[in-house]
Amino acid sequence: MGTRLGQLVERLGGQLMGDANLEVDGIAPLADASASHISFLSNSKLRAQALQSQAAALIVSAADQAFISAGFSGALIVTNNPYVYFARAAQYFESLTALVPQPGVHASAVVAEDAQVAASAHIGARVVIESGAVIGENAVIDAGCYIGREAVIGAETHLFANVTFHAQCVIGQRGIIHSGAVIGTDGFGFANEGGVYIKIPQTGRVVIGDDVDIGANTTIDRGALADTIIEDGVKLDNQIQIGHNCHIGAHTAMAGCVGVAGSAKIGKYCTFGGAAMVLGHLTIVDKVHVGSGSMVSRSILEPGQYTGFYPLAKNSEWEKSAVIVRNLSTMRDKIRALEKTIKTLTNQDEKTL
Amino acid sequence: MGTRLGQLVERLGGQLMGDANLEVDGIAPLADASASHISFLSNSKLRAQALQSQAAALIVSAADQAFISAGFSGALIVTNNPYVYFARAAQYFESLTALVPQPGVHASAVVAEDAQVAASAHIGARVVIESGAVIGENAVIDAGCYIGREAVIGAETHLFANVTFHAQCVIGQRGIIHSGAVIGTDGFGFANEGGVYIKIPQTGRVVIGDDVDIGANTTIDRGALADTIIEDGVKLDNQIQIGHNCHIGAHTAMAGCVGVAGSAKIGKYCTFGGAAMVLGHLTIVDKVHVGSGSMVSRSILEPGQYTGFYPLAKNSEWEKSAVIVRNLSTMRDKIRALEKTIKTLTNQDEKTL
Amino acid sequence: MGTRLGQLVERLGGQLMGDANLEVDGIAPLADASASHISFLSNSKLRAQALQSQAAALIVSAADQAFISAGFSGALIVTNNPYVYFARAAQYFESLTALVPQPGVHASAVVAEDAQVAASAHIGARVVIESGAVIGENAVIDAGCYIGREAVIGAETHLFANVTFHAQCVIGQRGIIHSGAVIGTDGFGFANEGGVYIKIPQTGRVVIGDDVDIGANTTIDRGALADTIIEDGVKLDNQIQIGHNCHIGAHTAMAGCVGVAGSAKIGKYCTFGGAAMVLGHLTIVDKVHVGSGSMVSRSILEPGQYTGFYPLAKNSEWEKSAVIVRNLSTMRDKIRALEKTIKTLTNQDEKTL
């Protein structure tokens, strides 16, 4: 039932040091692994812990290999990125036991006659698919999802239960949309006439590339006139809000509760910590990393790491510092006055000397 | 197939300067418009761009009219608020092509026998409507919505797919509720007995006026004893949380991810930037504008613009400033000491003179 | 139809001063109560208001009893925690009129043959229950809920309409999950290979104790390898995000919009104000109270109250203070320079004396 280390290395690469016939049946952290597991050392600081691991085999970097092999009796798989190797091995073990959804349309689903559903796709219970929608090969649409008119779901893309995917929006291949996510609702666009808001129709789409993951209860608005664009490989965590006409570059990742206001243009390979917020109409270049809880209120035109949140303190200390922050301009004025006085004093002193 | 400019002006008002028989088939931004489009100049800073537009006609203000007509060869529609005119024109063009949902109840919907559903209303697939609920004329309840017991949905109100609208709550006419929104769950009310929370039943309702828009995955809690009130014309973006017993005044707008804690009373014509937060039991008067990412921790009794977020910086600079913020009271004490010393010095000097 | 005060006290405890045969039919705040209501005084500051109440009876503490009985003509119920007594009385009155969901499975529900559904449970319209799931005695699963494969819902637990509860996750007894909540989606776990994210399978579960309330549109991720744990009595408000492998201690409460990043370990009896954020892999001990809008970026190893948000100000004042905050290290350097100059001056002066 297990997998031989030799098979694993044949499939995933890496250099095996040890018995190729040794069988393992799963992957576990260093401390939890038993003799039927492989484990991994992705951080050299954990070398000592690695030596104590009960795992049958360890995935290690070339840099750690000598140290570990001197003190660990099990097998080693040497690779240049043990954490990536762990991810791939975990995917492999999961694939052995994962239930594969059966192709076909559940009897309780409501599918428009002119929707195009690939024969290999799985359409779960209570799914609704509107007129003209296209569901690609091996796509999985779990129970309760809603697919709007003329929407397009790419091959091998998986919508978990209770996703809402609106009319004419598009997602590419191998994507994942988690439960409760809502793709393609109207953007928040109004003209104000004497205090009263007049709705601006939102006639653009949401266009999502390949290999994009979208978290639970995340919302992405359709564009006002043009489209909202999410490029390939973007990873969005839960409870994120993306406004209309945003453009998010390839392989950018955002942690939970991030908000991006309308028409923001975000580069590739960026990261956003949890609850970071981006105002509308800003530009953020490639490889910008914004810390958790930070508000981006101006464009960022230089790659790098940016942060802006008030440091936590005991409440009584925060109260003191917050009062001073509120009156910082007074403090600045006092310092200026002091500087002036001292200048006078110094000059006087010079004169008196 | 197009619309003549004369027809448009007859319907929407404004003063036409140019050929009333010219046909247009849509509206587009200045840079994207082609010869079959009208476009609009809502900001005088874009005058130069407007002159380059390929649009058949431009919507302009009286203030911009002279400048534009001197350099633009197409027609003009002169109006006092071009952006509002754009919104109305866009609504008009959208109405020409929008699919009108057919009246009637989908076969897969589950509607209680004693629910009152107007014959002109559209009830989509898989909708559930509980006992005693009332659905008004021309209301549209899209697929997968849940309408609780004795809830009331006003005429021409549109619930997009997968909205949850709980028992006894009410929404007026011409409202829009986007997918994933949840109206009328229990407020977060507990009494604490020795560390353990005892639930307080939430027996109030959510009562929503006319012309209210509610964004995707926004949640509004029902009141504890009295009702939660959302007045006419309020516009809520996505992922907003409104606590129990809040009262939000007419024509107030909130951008995405805003949170309002219980029993806050917010005035009319206010705006809240994205992720702004309002603590409970506060009062905010009319015409208060709170910036994005700002925490409102006290009542605001004067109209105006308010802000409070930590400015973003390169991470290394933020780390420096955050340490100083944490120790601001030390800095204040140093300044006080300096002031004292200088006072002594000055006095000394005076004496020595 | 009413309840006699004597019956109420027999059921809920407390010492009755007044007519045990007096009938009341509900509970209301001091100002709203009429002669058929009881009301409660949970804050001594409201003593004067209590004397004006039209309520038939007041719930008061022993400390307030003498004052109130001197000026209030109705009955009193004396108890050590009037607010808890109010909660219990409100629960009692609600139980008199609440509709009890009928046992049984709605005809439109889709329940796997091998799911175990207690005969006393209520399964609403359009519910989907996957293979191997277990639904306990008197559980209520409202319309549109999705229960994944082998998930376990404890006895008397109530899922409101449109909850998504994923495979193998577990919730104990007497829990409440509000609409739109999503329990058990994949955590946000990736390995990065040259800028591209490789998904790490999330094979842990979410395991939730007894008496846990989970708010509308709240999301809780399943663990990566181990489980995400929510202990007994935890109360989570709406729109909260709990990352994978978090552990939240018993009787901890979080207000709306809170976010907790992965692997955070939070103690018992903690409270988190709205929109507070906790970074990943932190430890927070028991009885820590974090204020609204505060970012917890380091472990908190001492009980107490903690806060960290930028104080709100008029926008013009905030702009001034924000500029200074951005340049605080310059200000600190100026002060150091002043200190140095003054030291020199003072020494000089001493010398010149």
Side-chain angles (χ1 to χ4, degrees):
Chain A
M1 300 271 289
T3 295
R4 290 184 181 164
L5 290 179
Q7 288 178 295
L8 201 67
V9 169
E10 202 175 310
R11 175 180 287 264
L12 301 179
Q15 184 195 347
L16 176 63
M17 301 176 64
D19 179 2
N21 285 319
L22 202 65
E23 286 196 4
V24 288
D25 60 9
I27 193 158
L30 290 169
D32 302 340
S34 73
S36 68
H37 289 138
I38 63 172
S39 191
F40 59 101
L41 175 62
S42 58
N43 180 342
S44 296
K45 288 181 188 161
L46 302 177
R47 279 173 165 198
Q49 197 187 333
L51 294 186
Q52 307 298 323
S53 180
Q54 305 299 310
L58 289 182
I59 305 165
V60 298
S61 66
D64 286 326
Q65 179 249 308
F67 180 89
I68 298 297
S69 64
F72 180 74
S73 60
L76 298 184
I77 297 172
V78 186
T79 175
N80 62 350
N81 190 332
Y83 199 58
V84 167
Y85 201 101
F86 151 63
R88 293 240 160 80
Q91 287 179 358
Y92 168 73
F93 286 114
E94 198 207 18
S95 73
L96 299 182
T97 56
L99 289 180
V100 177
Q102 292 306 302
V105 177
H106 192 276
S108 65
V110 176
V111 180
E113 274 187 30
D114 65 347
Q116 300 172 43
V117 177
S120 58
H122 168 89
I123 310 296
R126 298 197 296 107
V127 167
V128 174
I129 301 180
E130 301 279 18
S131 172
V134 177
I135 312 294
E137 295 290 344
N138 298 308
V140 175
I141 314 294
D142 280 337
C145 286
Y146 173 84
I147 311 290
R149 200 165 33 85
E150 295 164 28
V152 178
I153 308 293
E156 290 176 50
T157 284
H158 186 173
L159 274 56
F160 280 86
N162 292 333
V163 164
T164 307
F165 196 93
H166 280 289
Q168 291 157 332
C169 296
V170 176
I171 183 169
Q173 302 191 8
R174 294 174 303 277
I176 295 174
I177 309 184
H178 286 288
S179 298
V182 177
I183 311 302
T185 34
D186 286 350
F188 197 62
F190 300 92
N192 193 300
E193 187 176 34
V196 174
Y197 292 99
I198 314 294
K199 181 174 174 69
I200 297 168
Q202 305 288 305
T203 56
R205 304 171 297 164
V206 178
V207 177
I208 303 169
D210 294 332
D211 301 299
V212 171
D213 288 15
I214 295 172
N217 284 354
T218 282
T219 50
I220 307 179
D221 282 347
R222 63 194 314 121
L225 291 163
D227 297 329
T228 302
I229 307 281
I230 313 289
E231 294 187 354
D232 292 348
V234 167
K235 305 295 179 189
L236 304 179
D237 196 358
N238 298 350
Q239 308 250 24
I240 288 171
Q241 153 67 3
I242 308 288
H244 56 178
N245 299 98
C246 285
H247 187 128
I248 301 186
H251 307 295
T252 280
M254 298 184 176
C257 306
V258 163
V260 183
S263 300
K265 185 161 174 29
I266 295 176
K268 300 179 203 292
Y269 304 108
C270 295
T271 60
F272 290 79
M277 291 282 149
V278 180
L279 295 194
H281 296 272
L282 302 185
T283 296
I284 297 179
V285 298
D286 297 351
K287 298 192 180 171
V288 165
H289 306 285
V290 175
S292 298
S294 302
M295 161 71 70
V296 182
S297 58
R298 301 182 188 185
S299 290
I300 302 182
L301 303 175
E302 215 181 305
Q305 237 175 323
Y306 296 83
T307 309
F309 66 84
Y310 204 101
L312 192 80
K314 288 201 171 173
N315 187 64
S316 53
E317 289 166 25
W318 170 80
E319 282 187 345
K320 272 191 233 164
S321 78
V323 166
I324 303 176
V325 163
R326 213 182 272 122
N327 297 299
L328 268 177
S329 60
T330 312
M331 189 184 264
R332 186 197 49 199
D333 294 346
K334 280 192 182 175
I335 293 172
R336 284 178 181 165
L338 286 173
E339 288 180 316
K340 212 171 157 186
T341 312
I342 286 179
K343 208 173 173 189
T344 320
L345 277 178
T346 324
N347 288 343
Q348 264 182 0
D349 284 4
E350 277 166 9
K351 281 178 210 155
T352 59
L353 286 178
Chain B
M1 300 270 289
T3 296
R4 291 186 179 161
L5 290 179
Q7 289 178 293
L8 201 67
V9 169
E10 205 175 307
R11 174 181 286 265
L12 301 179
Q15 184 195 348
L16 177 64
M17 301 177 64
D19 180 3
N21 285 319
L22 202 63
E23 285 195 6
V24 289
D25 60 10
I27 193 157
L30 290 170
D32 301 341
S34 73
S36 68
H37 288 138
I38 63 171
S39 191
F40 59 100
L41 175 62
S42 58
N43 180 342
S44 296
K45 288 182 188 161
L46 302 177
R47 281 173 164 197
Q49 195 187 334
L51 294 186
Q52 306 299 323
S53 181
Q54 303 299 311
L58 289 182
I59 306 163
V60 298
S61 67
D64 287 326
Q65 179 250 309
F67 180 89
I68 298 296
S69 63
F72 180 75
S73 60
L76 299 185
I77 297 172
V78 186
T79 174
N80 61 351
N81 189 333
Y83 198 58
V84 166
Y85 202 101
F86 150 65
R88 292 242 160 78
Q91 286 179 358
Y92 168 74
F93 286 113
E94 198 209 16
S95 73
L96 300 181
T97 56
L99 289 180
V100 178
Q102 293 305 302
V105 177
H106 193 277
S108 65
V110 176
V111 180
E113 274 186 30
D114 64 348
Q116 300 172 45
V117 178
S120 58
H122 167 89
I123 310 297
R126 298 198 293 108
V127 167
V128 173
I129 300 180
E130 301 278 19
S131 173
V134 178
I135 313 294
E137 296 290 343
N138 299 307
V140 174
I141 313 294
D142 281 336
C145 286
Y146 173 84
I147 311 289
R149 202 164 32 83
E150 294 164 31
V152 178
I153 309 293
E156 292 176 48
T157 284
H158 186 172
L159 273 56
F160 281 85
N162 292 334
V163 165
T164 306
F165 196 93
H166 279 287
Q168 291 158 332
C169 296
V170 176
I171 182 168
Q173 302 190 10
R174 297 174 302 279
I176 295 175
I177 309 185
H178 287 289
S179 299
V182 177
I183 312 302
T185 34
D186 286 350
F188 197 62
F190 299 93
N192 193 301
E193 187 176 33
V196 173
Y197 291 99
I198 314 294
K199 182 175 174 66
I200 296 168
Q202 305 289 304
T203 55
R205 303 171 298 165
V206 179
V207 177
I208 303 169
D210 294 333
D211 302 299
V212 171
D213 288 15
I214 296 172
N217 284 355
T218 282
T219 50
I220 306 179
D221 282 347
R222 65 194 312 122
L225 291 163
D227 296 329
T228 302
I229 307 281
I230 314 289
E231 293 187 356
D232 292 349
V234 167
K235 306 295 178 188
L236 304 180
D237 197 357
N238 298 349
Q239 308 250 24
I240 288 171
Q241 153 67 3
I242 308 288
H244 56 178
N245 299 98
C246 284
H247 186 130
I248 301 186
H251 308 295
T252 280
M254 298 184 177
C257 307
V258 163
V260 183
S263 299
K265 185 163 174 27
I266 294 176
K268 300 179 204 293
Y269 305 109
C270 295
T271 59
F272 290 78
M277 291 282 148
V278 180
L279 295 194
H281 296 272
L282 301 186
T283 296
I284 296 179
V285 298
D286 297 351
K287 300 191 181 173
V288 165
H289 307 285
V290 176
S292 298
S294 302
M295 163 69 72
V296 182
S297 58
R298 301 182 189 186
S299 289
I300 302 182
L301 303 175
E302 215 180 307
Q305 237 175 321
Y306 296 83
T307 310
F309 65 84
Y310 204 101
L312 194 79
K314 288 200 171 173
N315 188 63
S316 53
E317 289 165 25
W318 170 81
E319 282 187 346
K320 273 190 231 164
S321 80
V323 166
I324 303 176
V325 164
R326 211 181 275 120
N327 296 299
L328 269 176
S329 61
T330 311
M331 187 184 267
R332 186 196 51 199
D333 293 348
K334 280 192 181 176
I335 294 172
R336 285 179 180 166
L338 286 172
E339 288 180 317
K340 212 170 158 187
T341 311
I342 286 179
K343 208 171 172 192
T344 319
L345 277 177
T346 324
N347 288 344
Q348 263 184 0
D349 284 5
E350 278 164 10
K351 281 179 211 158
T352 60
L353 286 179
Chain C
M1 301 271 290
T3 297
R4 290 184 181 164
L5 290 179
Q7 289 177 293
L8 201 67
V9 170
E10 202 175 308
R11 175 181 287 265
L12 301 179
Q15 183 194 347
L16 177 63
M17 302 175 63
D19 180 2
N21 285 319
L22 202 63
E23 285 196 6
V24 289
D25 60 10
I27 193 157
L30 290 169
D32 302 340
S34 75
S36 68
H37 288 139
I38 62 172
S39 191
F40 60 99
L41 175 62
S42 58
N43 181 341
S44 296
K45 288 182 188 161
L46 301 177
R47 280 173 164 198
Q49 196 187 332
L51 294 186
Q52 307 298 323
S53 180
Q54 304 299 312
L58 289 182
I59 306 163
V60 298
S61 65
D64 287 326
Q65 179 249 307
F67 180 89
I68 297 296
S69 63
F72 180 76
S73 61
L76 298 185
I77 297 172
V78 186
T79 174
N80 61 351
N81 189 333
Y83 199 58
V84 166
Y85 202 101
F86 150 64
R88 292 242 160 78
Q91 287 178 358
Y92 168 73
F93 286 114
E94 198 209 18
S95 73
L96 298 182
T97 58
L99 289 181
V100 178
Q102 294 306 302
V105 177
H106 193 277
S108 65
V110 177
V111 180
E113 275 187 30
D114 64 347
Q116 300 172 44
V117 178
S120 57
H122 168 88
I123 311 297
R126 300 197 293 108
V127 167
V128 173
I129 301 180
E130 302 279 20
S131 172
V134 178
I135 313 293
E137 296 290 344
N138 298 307
V140 175
I141 313 294
D142 281 337
C145 287
Y146 173 84
I147 311 290
R149 199 164 33 84
E150 295 165 29
V152 178
I153 309 292
E156 290 175 52
T157 284
H158 185 172
L159 274 56
F160 281 86
N162 292 335
V163 165
T164 307
F165 196 93
H166 280 288
Q168 290 157 332
C169 297
V170 177
I171 183 169
Q173 302 191 9
R174 295 174 302 280
I176 295 175
I177 308 185
H178 287 289
S179 299
V182 177
I183 311 302
T185 35
D186 285 350
F188 198 61
F190 300 93
N192 194 301
E193 187 176 34
V196 173
Y197 292 99
I198 313 294
K199 182 175 173 67
I200 297 168
Q202 305 288 304
T203 55
R205 304 171 297 165
V206 178
V207 177
I208 302 169
D210 293 334
D211 301 299
V212 171
D213 288 16
I214 296 172
N217 284 354
T218 282
T219 49
I220 307 179
D221 283 347
R222 63 194 313 121
L225 291 164
D227 296 329
T228 302
I229 307 281
I230 313 289
E231 294 187 354
D232 292 349
V234 167
K235 305 295 178 188
L236 304 180
D237 197 356
N238 298 350
Q239 309 249 25
I240 288 172
Q241 153 67 4
I242 308 288
H244 55 179
N245 298 100
C246 285
H247 187 130
I248 301 185
H251 308 294
T252 280
M254 297 185 177
C257 307
V258 163
V260 183
S263 300
K265 184 161 176 26
I266 294 176
K268 301 179 202 293
Y269 304 108
C270 294
T271 59
F272 291 78
M277 290 282 148
V278 180
L279 294 194
H281 295 272
L282 302 185
T283 296
I284 296 178
V285 298
D286 296 351
K287 299 190 181 174
V288 164
H289 306 284
V290 175
S292 298
S294 302
M295 162 70 71
V296 182
S297 58
R298 303 184 189 184
S299 289
I300 302 181
L301 302 176
E302 216 181 305
Q305 239 175 322
Y306 296 83
T307 309
F309 66 84
Y310 202 101
L312 193 79
K314 289 201 171 172
N315 187 63
S316 53
E317 289 165 25
W318 170 80
E319 282 187 345
K320 271 190 233 164
S321 80
V323 166
I324 303 176
V325 163
R326 213 182 272 122
N327 298 297
L328 268 177
S329 60
T330 312
M331 189 184 264
R332 185 197 49 199
D333 293 346
K334 279 191 182 176
I335 294 173
R336 284 181 181 166
L338 286 172
E339 288 180 316
K340 213 171 157 186
T341 311
I342 287 180
K343 207 171 173 191
T344 318
L345 278 177
T346 325
N347 288 342
Q348 264 181 359
D349 285 5
E350 277 165 10
K351 279 178 210 156
T352 59
L353 287 178

